[in-house]
Amino acid sequence: MREEKRTVDGTRLYALRTQMGISLQQAAALLGVSKSTLCRYESRKELRLDRSRIDDLCRIYRVGPEVLEADIKDTEDEVRLETEEIAAYYDGLDERTKARISRILLRALD
């Protein structure tokens, strides 16, 4: 039987993780996923996950599922990050992901 997927706000995962002072690597290890997978989760406004994965996230971040649920009517709103938040997020990335971001930025600036 397939497990029900729910939509969560992935950007809230980043906020919760940083509020708790947990590194990307630590959180990924607690979830049993790679850092790049967790990074992908955190970068998406609407993220479809199995209920068991949501339960794992709730346990790690000590919140109820309602905190993670995406507010679908707000999907058109842009997420604005402060410079320090962007730098902290970037610092938590692996070198391969940093290189990809650098290539994307260089192309965008050309």
Side-chain angles (χ1 to χ4, degrees):
M1 187 169 114
R2 292 184 112 172
E3 192 169 357
E4 174 190 355
K5 290 198 180 255
R6 311 269 318 253
T7 303
V8 299
D9 181 347
T11 60
R12 291 182 189 160
L13 299 176
Y14 171 77
L16 290 166
R17 180 176 60 76
T18 55
Q19 283 175 354
M20 293 187 72
I22 300 173
S23 73
L24 185 68
Q25 184 170 352
Q26 290 169 323
L30 289 169
L31 275 173
V33 298
S34 68
K35 288 187 334 185
S36 60
T37 296
L38 183 55
C39 183
R40 190 174 67 245
Y41 286 0
E42 291 180 347
S43 66
R44 298 178 75 185
K45 180 70 176 166
E46 287 186 33
L47 177 65
R48 304 250 325 139
L49 294 175
D50 291 337
R51 182 65 192 189
S52 62
R53 178 67 68 200
I54 294 169
D55 290 343
D56 292 342
L57 289 162
C58 289
R59 178 181 45 78
I60 291 167
Y61 297 129
R62 300 182 185 129
V63 295
E66 67 281 355
V67 174
L68 300 180
E69 290 176 4
D71 189 1
I72 303 302
K73 64 183 173 214
D74 288 342
T75 57
E76 294 179 9
D77 293 343
E78 288 186 42
V79 175
R80 304 233 185 259
L81 296 174
E82 296 296 321
T83 305
E84 297 101 25
E85 291 176 304
I86 294 170
Y89 187 76
Y90 182 81
D91 288 341
L93 299 174
D94 60 80
E95 293 304 315
R96 184 175 174 196
T97 304
K98 286 179 182 178
R100 286 181 183 168
I101 290 171
S102 293
R103 286 191 299 272
I104 291 167
L105 290 173
L106 287 172
R107 275 188 250 135
L109 294 174
D110 281 344

